[in-house]
Amino acid sequence: MDFLSVILTSLLSVLALFLIAKLMGHKQMSQLDFFDYITGITIGSIAAELATELENPWQPLVAMVIYGGIAFLLSVLTGKFHRMRKYVNGTPTIIMNNGKLYRENMKKAKLDLSEFMVMCRQAGYFDINSIQTAVFEYNGRLSILPVCDQRPVNPSDMNLMPAPDTIFTEVIMDGRILDENLHRMGLDSKWLEQQLKTNGYRNAKEIFLGICDENHNLSLFTGK
């Protein structure tokens, strides 16, 4: 009976955690701010307790619902009232600008010089002289604006007007034809089979990945 209770409470905790995560949105699983980080850890801890609580499983379940409800409420309030964002999420902090490092701002952001250098290198800037502005975001990431002569060249800088990019859609995955995607593009399996023969393939099983753009240009990749 105890073994069955563990199974049931574990399933209950997984279901509750899934529903709360869906309520809080994808931000909880990607770029976390300070409150999301705390909430995520707490809810995870309560879910683990719920999975093994056999006598009173409703107590940790209620706690999970309360934490999830508070997180959802704060998300709604910060969306409507912009002034609340700086108190709940924090504000971006300028760490470097025009070749000058702001030591006081680094202290406020709890960021030391070694960590700053590591984050610059992770962003691809091994020479901080190539950085115009560095901003430490409230989610713990560093946003960097390079100096003018270090930024990538844009087509507009060369007076070029390239054709707009198109979205590629998967039509073959793991040797299997995705008929639904083909139909959505106005194509069918006969068209695809003809394209495969034209490119020297007998059937879709030889293709690991096949993608097609809006102009019906097909790109095929074989697995090794």
Side-chain angles (χ1 to χ4, degrees):
M1 185 65 180
D2 290 340
F3 180 72
L4 180 60
S5 299
V6 171
I7 294 177
L8 293 177
T9 53
S10 298
L11 292 175
L12 180 62
S13 67
V14 171
L15 177 61
L17 193 59
F18 174 78
L19 294 176
I20 291 174
K22 295 292 289 184
L23 177 68
M24 296 174 64
H26 294 288
K27 186 175 66 172
Q28 181 67 25
M29 296 179 289
S30 56
Q31 299 178 1
L32 302 179
D33 56 39
F34 182 71
F35 183 79
D36 289 329
Y37 178 73
I38 294 176
T39 305
I41 291 177
T42 305
I43 291 178
S45 177
I46 297 174
E49 181 182 352
L50 172 61
T52 56
E53 178 60 56
L54 304 181
E55 295 182 359
N56 298 303
W58 296 109
Q59 293 180 357
L61 178 61
V62 171
M64 287 179 64
V65 172
I66 291 175
Y67 267 93
I70 292 174
F72 177 74
L73 178 62
L74 284 176
S75 176
V76 173
L77 291 176
T78 53
K80 291 185 176 181
F81 305 101
H82 299 288
R83 292 185 178 180
M84 286 192 62
R85 294 179 184 177
K86 66 178 181 179
Y87 299 108
V88 177
N89 297 332
T91 56
T93 304
I94 297 177
I95 303 299
M96 180 179 179
N97 191 40
N98 292 327
K100 181 180 180 181
L101 287 168
Y102 294 94
R103 183 177 296 180
E104 291 300 321
N105 287 356
M106 294 181 71
K107 290 181 180 179
K108 292 179 182 178
K110 305 297 188 296
L111 183 70
D112 60 41
L113 192 57
S114 297
E115 291 173 326
F116 172 70
M117 296 298 294
V118 169
M119 298 177 79
C120 289
R121 290 193 294 270
Q122 288 176 337
Y125 294 89
F126 287 78
D127 181 7
I128 63 173
N129 291 313
S130 61
I131 298 176
Q132 171 71 28
T133 305
V135 180
F136 190 67
E137 307 291 356
Y138 64 81
N139 60 6
R141 295 173 178 257
L142 189 68
S143 299
I144 295 177
L145 176 68
V147 295
C148 294
D149 58 353
Q150 295 288 332
R151 65 181 177 87
V153 178
N154 294 318
S156 59
D157 296 330
M158 305 177 66
N159 295 321
L160 298 176
M161 293 294 293
D165 294 330
T166 59
I167 298 177
F168 281 86
T169 302
E170 298 85 359
V171 293
I172 299 176
M173 292 190 71
D174 293 321
R176 184 171 58 88
I177 297 176
L178 305 179
D179 293 309
E180 183 177 348
N181 291 353
L182 280 172
H183 293 160
R184 190 163 55 243
M185 300 179 67
L187 303 173
D188 54 26
S189 58
K190 292 183 179 180
W191 175 86
L192 182 57
E193 291 171 358
Q194 181 61 44
Q195 294 295 316
L196 291 174
K197 292 180 180 179
T198 302
N199 285 274
Y201 298 101
R202 290 173 296 178
N203 51 55
K205 294 182 179 180
E206 300 181 42
I207 306 301
F208 183 59
L209 174 65
I211 55 177
C212 185
D213 65 10
E214 296 174 354
N215 297 320
H216 298 172
N217 295 316
L218 184 66
S219 298
L220 303 172
F221 302 89
T222 58
K224 292 185 178 180

